[in-house]
C-alpha cells in the first residue's frame, strides 16, 4: 500500500496549472460531466473563485513522498437521502501514470479523516454510469451505493445517467428525520404505592405524547448496584431539603422490573418510544426487551459492563457526557464500538441540578460530532424550557433530552427543576420551528427566492433593439439592469468579454444577453 499524505492546494498559478493539466487528460475528461478541456485564461479565475469558495475545504493534493499523485476536491451539497447535517460532494483525480496503484482508495480514506475532523457528516460521489473504474474505486473505499439516478448538468443542459455513492461520517440513524426529543420522566413516576406509581407513570407518558415528544425515558436501578453502602448524603440534595442517605433515596425510587414492562406497553399503545436508563447488567436485561434505543447516564460513562452490553445489543445508544473529560469519552466510545456498537449519540450534559445557563457549554456539541464521529445532542438540566434546547438545535443537535413533571412541588429529587407539561409542549414546538429554519447549509437560490431572483437580480440587458452584427458597447447597446418580466441576462462579470464584440442575433429592448449572443474573442 502506498504511503500517502495530504497537502492543501493554494490559490497560486503553479497549483492551478497542475490541477488543470491533470483535468485536461483525455481519460479524466471522459469521466467528467464537463468534457471540454479547460483554457488557462478562464480556468485561472475559476480556480481562484470557486476552488477556494469554502475556506476549510481547499483542494487537497495527494502526495507520495515529494511527488503529487492526485487531488481531491470537495463542495457542499444537499444530502441525497434528506438527512440532517452537512454533506460534501467529492471529485478525485489521480495523475496520469499513477492510476491503478491504489492511490485513489487510500486518498479517499485520508480525505475522509480530514473532513470528518471538520465536523462534516457525509460525502457524496456522483459518477457517470459508464465510468466503471470510478464506481469500483468508491466501492473499494467503503462508500455505499445509492443506485442509479439522473444528474442535470446545469450549464450544458445534459441529463446524465449516474450512480451515486455515499460515505456516512457520522451515524445516519441520528440524522434521519427530525431532532429526537426525549422527555425525561426519570424517577418522577414514584408516588408511594404500586398502583399510584403506575398511574403516575402512565400520566407522564400521556403528557409527553401530548407535547409531541419522540421518546419517554425512565430510570431503572437498584441501590446496591449503584453506590457503596456507606455513601452518605448528597450535598446538592441536602441543600434542597432532602436529608436521607443516597442509598435510601435510590431504594425508594428503584423501579420494579414489572413496572418497566407495564410502562413500555403503555408507550407502545400511545405510539411513543419507550426508554429507560439502566445502571447494572440486571437492569439492562430488564429494559432491553422493551427499548429500541438505549441510554447510558453521565456517571456510568466509566461502566465497562453497561457499555459492552449496549454495544452487543446492536441498538442505538445515547450516552451523556456530564462531568467527563475528552479521555473519559474516548474510552467509552472505544469500549462501545469494540463490543459491536455503531449508532452512538453523545450528549453534552452539565451535571448540576438545576444547571445554570452559563454552564451549558453548548459549543461542545459540534466538537463531539467532529471529534468522535457520532451523533451529538444535549441533555439539559437547566430550568429554562427554550434557551439551551433551541440553541443546541441551531448548533446541530440530533437529540434533546429534558426532565419534566406534572408539578414542581411534588416530593423527590428531580421534580423541582423539571419542566411542567405546558413548558414541555412549548419546548417541542420551539425545536420544530428552529428545525424549519436551518436548511441544508448549501448556499444557493432557494425556491422561496426564485420569483424575485428572476425579476430583480441584475444582469446584462439590452438598452434598445440591437440588430445582428452590431458592435456591443455598454451604455449604448446594453447595461447592467434588473430585468423585471424580461429574460435575465448573463452575469455582469462577462462585461469585459462582451465589450466591442458583435451581436450574433437580434435583441429586443430589455432582453437579457445570453451566453453565445456575442462573438467570442479571437
Amino acid at each position: 500500500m502506498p504511503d500517502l499524505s495530504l497537502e492543501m492546494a493554494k490559490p497560486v498559478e503553479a497549483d492551478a496549472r497542475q490541477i488543470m493539466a491533470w483535468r485536461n487528460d483525455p481519460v479524466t475528461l471522459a469521466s467528467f460531466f464537463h468534457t471540454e478541456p479547460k483554457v488557462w485564461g478562464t480556468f485561472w479565475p475559476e480556480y481562484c473563485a470557486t476552488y477556494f469558495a469554502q475556506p476549510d475545504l481547499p483542494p487537497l493534493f495527494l502526495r507520495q513522498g515529494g511527488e503529487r499523485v492526485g487531488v481531491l476536491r470537495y463542495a457542499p451539497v444537499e444530502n441525497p437521502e434528506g438527512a440532517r447535517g452537512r454533506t460534501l460532494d467529492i471529485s478525485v483525480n489521480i495523475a496520469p501514470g499513477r492510476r491503478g496503484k491504489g492511490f485513489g482508495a487510500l486518498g479517499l480514506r485520508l480525505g475522509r479523516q480530514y473532513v470528518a475532523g471538520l465536523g462534516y457528516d457525509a460525502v457524496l460521489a456522483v459518477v457517470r454510469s459508464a465510468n466503471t473504474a470510478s464506481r469500483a474505486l468508491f466501492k473499494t473505499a467503503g462508500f455505499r451505493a445509492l443506485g442509479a439516478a439522473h444528474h442535470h448538468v446545469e450549464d450544458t443542459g445534459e441529463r446524465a445517467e449516474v450512480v451515486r455513492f455515499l460515505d456516512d461520517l457520522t451515524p445516519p440513524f441520528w440524522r434521519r428525520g427530525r431532532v429526537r426529543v426525549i422527555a425525561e420522566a426519570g424517577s418522577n413516576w414514584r408516588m408511594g404505592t404500586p398502583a399510584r406509581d403506575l398511574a403516575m407513570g402512565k400520566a407522564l407518558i400521556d403528557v409527553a405524547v401530548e407535547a409531541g415528544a419522540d421518546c419517554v425515558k425512565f430510570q431503572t436501578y437498584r441501590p446496591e448496584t449503584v453506590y457503596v453502602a456507606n455513601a452518605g448524603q448528597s450535598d446538592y440534595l441536602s441543600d434542597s431539603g432532602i436529608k436521607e442517605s443516597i442509598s435510601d433515596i435510590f431504594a425508594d425510587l428503584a423501579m420494579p422490573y414489572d413496572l418497566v414492562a407495564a410502562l413500555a406497553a403503555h408507550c407502545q399503545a400511545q405510539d411513543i418510544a419507550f426508554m429507560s436508563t439502566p445502571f447494572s447488567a440486571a437492569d439492562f436485561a430488564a429494559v432491553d426487551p422493551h427499548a429500541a434505543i438505549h441510554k447510558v447516564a453521565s456517571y456510568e460513562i466509566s461502566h465497562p459492563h453497561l457499555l459492552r452490553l449496549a454495544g452487543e445489543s446492536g441498538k442505538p445508544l445515547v450516552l451523556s457526557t456530564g462531568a467527563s473529560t475528552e479521555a473519559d469519552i474516548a474510552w467509552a466510545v472505544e469500549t462501545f464500538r469494540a463490543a459491536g456498537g455503531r449508532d452512538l449519540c453523545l450528549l453534552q450534559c452539565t451535571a448540576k441540578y438545576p444547571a445554570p445557563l452559563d454552564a451549558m457549554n453548548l459549543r461542545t456539541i459540534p466538537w463531539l460530532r467532529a471529534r468522535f464521529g457520532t451523533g451529538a445532542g444535549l441533555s439539559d438540566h437547566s430550568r429554562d424550557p427554550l434557551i439551551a434546547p433551541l440553541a443546541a438545535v441551531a448548533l446541530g443537535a440530533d437529540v434533546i433530552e429534558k426532565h419534566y413533571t406534572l408539578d414542581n412541588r411534588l416530593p423527590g429529587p428531580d421534580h423541582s427543576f423539571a419542566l411542567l407539561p405546558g413548558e414541555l409542549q412549548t419546548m417541542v414546538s420551539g425545536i420544530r420551528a428552529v428545525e424549519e429554519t436551518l436548511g441544508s447549509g448549501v448556499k444557493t437560490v432557494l425556491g422561496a427566492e426564485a420569483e424575485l431572483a428572476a425579476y430583480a437580480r441584475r444582469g446584462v440587458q439590452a438598452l434598445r433593439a440591437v440588430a445582428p452584427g452590431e458592435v456591443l458597447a455598454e451604455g449604448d447597446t446594453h447595461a447592467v439592469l434588473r430585468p423585471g418580466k424580461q429574460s435575465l441576462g448573463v452575469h455582469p462579470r462577462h462585461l469585459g468579454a462582451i465589450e466591442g464584440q458583435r451581436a450574433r442575433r437580434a435583441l429586443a429592448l430589455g432582453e437579457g444577453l445570453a451566453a453565445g449572443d456575442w462573438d467570442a474573442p479571437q
Side-chain angles (χ1 to χ4, degrees), residues 100-114:
K101 301 180 184 299
F103 293 128
L106 183 56
L108 288 173
R109 294 187 185 109
L110 284 175
R112 183 187 202 277
Q113 295 172 13
Y114 176 77

Side-chain angles (χ1 to χ4, degrees), residues 30-33 126-136 148-149 158 160-163 165:
S31 67
F32 276 23
F33 294 113
V126 182
V127 180
R128 285 188 181 273
S129 296
N131 188 351
T132 56
S134 290
R135 290 170 63 173
E158 180 187 5
E161 293 185 1
V162 299
V163 177
F165 297 87

Side-chain angles (χ1 to χ4, degrees), residues 93-267:
N93 189 5
I94 302 302
R98 296 293 181 268
R99 301 183 182 115
K101 301 180 184 299
F103 293 128
L106 183 56
L108 288 173
R109 294 187 185 109
L110 284 175
R112 183 187 202 277
Q113 295 172 13
Y114 176 77
V115 297
L118 297 174
Y120 288 94
D121 297 284
V123 176
L124 172 70
V126 182
V127 180
R128 285 188 181 273
S129 296
N131 188 351
T132 56
S134 290
R135 290 170 63 173
L137 168 63
F138 288 108
K139 287 182 181 178
T140 301
F143 285 62
R144 59 184 174 93
L146 301 183
H150 286 92
H151 175 72
H152 175 69
V153 184
E154 186 173 349
D155 53 351
T156 67
E158 180 187 5
R159 189 170 181 263
E161 293 185 1
V162 299
V163 177
R164 298 174 302 167
F165 297 87
L166 196 67
D167 184 18
D168 292 303
L169 309 179
T170 60
F173 176 86
W174 297 108
R175 295 185 284 109
R176 292 187 181 125
R178 63 191 189 180
V179 172
R180 284 177 173 81
V181 177
I182 300 175
E184 169 68 276
S187 61
N188 290 346
W189 54 272
R190 182 67 170 129
M191 287 289 106
T193 68
R196 296 167 86 182
D197 293 345
L198 177 60
M200 181 56 136
K202 288 182 174 181
L204 286 165
I205 291 167
D206 294 344
V207 164
V209 171
E210 180 67 22
D214 300 287
C215 313
V216 177
K217 190 179 77 65
F218 295 90
Q219 296 174 9
T220 303
Y221 47 73
R222 296 292 176 272
E224 62 272 15
T225 57
V226 181
Y227 281 101
V228 296
N230 57 347
Q233 293 181 345
S234 162
D235 290 342
Y236 104 85
L237 291 175
S238 296
D239 292 343
S240 63
I242 300 174
K243 302 297 184 180
E244 295 91 345
S245 73
I246 196 69
S247 295
D248 289 343
I249 292 171
F250 268 58
D252 179 59
L253 299 177
M255 178 176 283
Y257 290 160
D258 59 352
L259 184 57
V260 172
L263 294 176
H266 191 68
C267 281

